Amino acid sequence: MNWDDLKLFLAVGRAGRLAIAAKAVGQDATTVSRRIRRLEQSLQARLFEHTPSGHVLTDQGATLFEAAERMEAAALGIQREVTSDAAGLAGSIRISASEGFGSRIIAPHLGEFTRAHPQVQIDLIASSGVLNPSRREADIAVMLARPKAGPLISRKLTDYALGLYASPAYLERAPRLASPADLSAHALIGYVPDQIFAPELRYLSEIGSRLEATIRSSSINAQAEMIESGVGCGVLPCFIGDTMDGVVRVLPDIMIERSFWLVVHRDLRGIARIDRFLAWLTQRIDQLRPLMSGRGRS
């Protein structure tokens, strides 16, 4: 039995869909499917039922899944035992974060970590939506809410503030904007409603119950670009808006607060490269605390 095939089997069992599992392990779906069939042939057992909703474990598959998870946990335990600073840090880390945090907070400073640990390979998944550490889609996730279940260790990384921003050029030609009530006469930029992956991203309803964005994007970076180019006004995290020369904060009394949670699968704690990255990210956030809270610029 090939351990690499078992790891692919675990990925499919956790994701429930071949395409999602293939993306998580960095292989194409055809290869993953072929290797699952090879595993089934070697065991002379059917491991998955193929249903319209995805790949569902059979009874034999569920039994193997539990055994494979125990093997995986044992392997990770061995890795924790033998890994030391003296031996050097090596291996890969897959980090999942929302697009704004990943591109504006982690990415610009990541060279600091990789220069200190050149043998660590980093995969930064910064997108709309966050991969799930419970299903081993990511090693570390920065999430907008604390997970309610799963074999996870989580803690609050930081609170952060959001404000309302617009470009000076937009404000010159737009209607008067002196109070939240005036926003109904303005072009508002925000998320595409059916593309919001977390309720924490619903901002405008906290400012006014009837406010709706009329210019929308699933990308916070695209929203920031539209605000800066004068398309309209919208809510941005202060760690984005306060670093942009082409926008100003309007209605400064409007301050929305959210939190980022640092989440890791419990089996990964104690692995040197994981712990070192967690410590580095925590230190980086401590240095950026004024920017995160809306009290300063980087």
Side-chain angles (χ1 to χ4, degrees):
M1 186 185 302
N2 188 311
W3 170 238
D4 287 336
D5 288 347
L6 280 176
K7 289 193 287 187
L8 294 180
F9 164 73
L10 284 171
V12 176
R14 286 166 177 150
R17 289 187 177 276
L18 197 65
I20 296 174
K23 184 177 181 181
V25 299
Q27 297 192 29
D28 64 85
T30 302
T31 298
V32 174
S33 178
R34 183 178 67 251
R35 292 178 65 175
I36 292 297
R37 288 197 303 271
R38 183 174 73 181
L39 180 61
E40 289 181 323
Q41 290 167 1
S42 70
L43 295 172
Q44 296 185 342
R46 186 174 179 85
L47 302 176
F48 292 102
E49 294 288 349
H50 298 201
T51 73
S53 60
H55 282 57
V56 178
L57 288 166
T58 63
D59 290 343
Q60 290 174 306
T63 299
L64 178 62
F65 189 85
E66 292 178 3
E69 282 204 313
R70 290 195 295 270
M71 292 172 64
E72 182 184 54
L76 290 169
I78 292 170
Q79 185 174 3
R80 284 194 295 270
E81 291 294 328
V82 302
T83 302
S84 67
D85 287 342
L89 293 170
S92 64
I93 306 174
R94 173 168 284 205
I95 304 141
S96 176
S98 61
E99 181 195 15
F101 188 91
S103 64
R104 304 296 182 117
I105 298 298
I106 297 180
H109 307 287
L110 195 54
E112 176 185 291
F113 181 84
T114 57
R115 285 191 295 271
H117 309 293
Q119 296 184 65
V120 176
Q121 175 185 316
I122 300 291
D123 291 337
L124 175 60
I125 313 299
S127 60
S128 299
V130 178
L131 302 181
N132 191 334
S134 288
R135 298 197 296 262
R136 301 294 177 82
E137 295 173 347
D139 299 318
I140 297 169
V142 180
M143 306 182 76
L144 293 169
R146 187 173 198 164
K148 296 180 180 179
L152 304 170
I153 297 172
S154 60
R155 63 176 174 83
K156 184 184 287 189
L157 178 61
T158 182
D159 294 323
Y160 69 100
L162 304 99
L164 191 67
Y165 292 85
S167 71
Y170 171 80
L171 292 173
E172 285 181 8
R173 66 174 185 273
R176 179 175 180 268
L177 183 51
S179 72
D182 296 330
L183 286 170
S184 60
H186 284 260
L188 298 180
I189 294 170
Y191 283 101
V192 180
D194 63 2
Q195 296 293 309
I196 293 177
F197 68 88
E200 290 79 12
L201 297 179
R202 299 185 186 279
Y203 306 130
L204 288 175
S205 61
E206 294 190 23
I207 300 173
S209 60
R210 296 184 178 181
L211 292 178
E212 293 185 4
T214 56
I215 306 151
R216 306 180 298 201
S217 173
S218 60
S219 164
I220 190 63
N221 286 331
Q223 292 177 40
E225 292 294 329
M226 289 190 286
I227 292 170
E228 187 173 37
S229 64
V231 175
C233 59
V235 174
L236 292 174
C238 294
F239 64 78
I240 296 179
D242 285 354
T243 63
M244 299 172 65
D245 293 333
V247 302
V248 295
R249 202 183 303 186
V250 296
L251 303 182
D253 288 341
I254 293 176
M255 187 71 75
I256 299 168
E257 186 173 286
R258 293 289 190 269
S259 300
F260 284 121
W261 293 83
L262 194 57
V263 181
V264 63
H265 196 287
R266 66 188 179 200
D267 288 344
L268 296 181
R269 289 306 305 268
I271 293 178
R273 66 181 181 276
I274 300 293
D275 287 350
R276 191 61 60 85
F277 186 87
L278 295 174
W280 172 81
L281 183 57
T282 300
Q283 182 182 39
R284 169 53 52 186
I285 288 297
D286 286 341
Q287 294 169 345
L288 295 175
R289 198 73 65 186
L291 182 65
M292 303 302 291
S293 65
R295 298 195 308 268
R297 291 177 175 263
S298 62

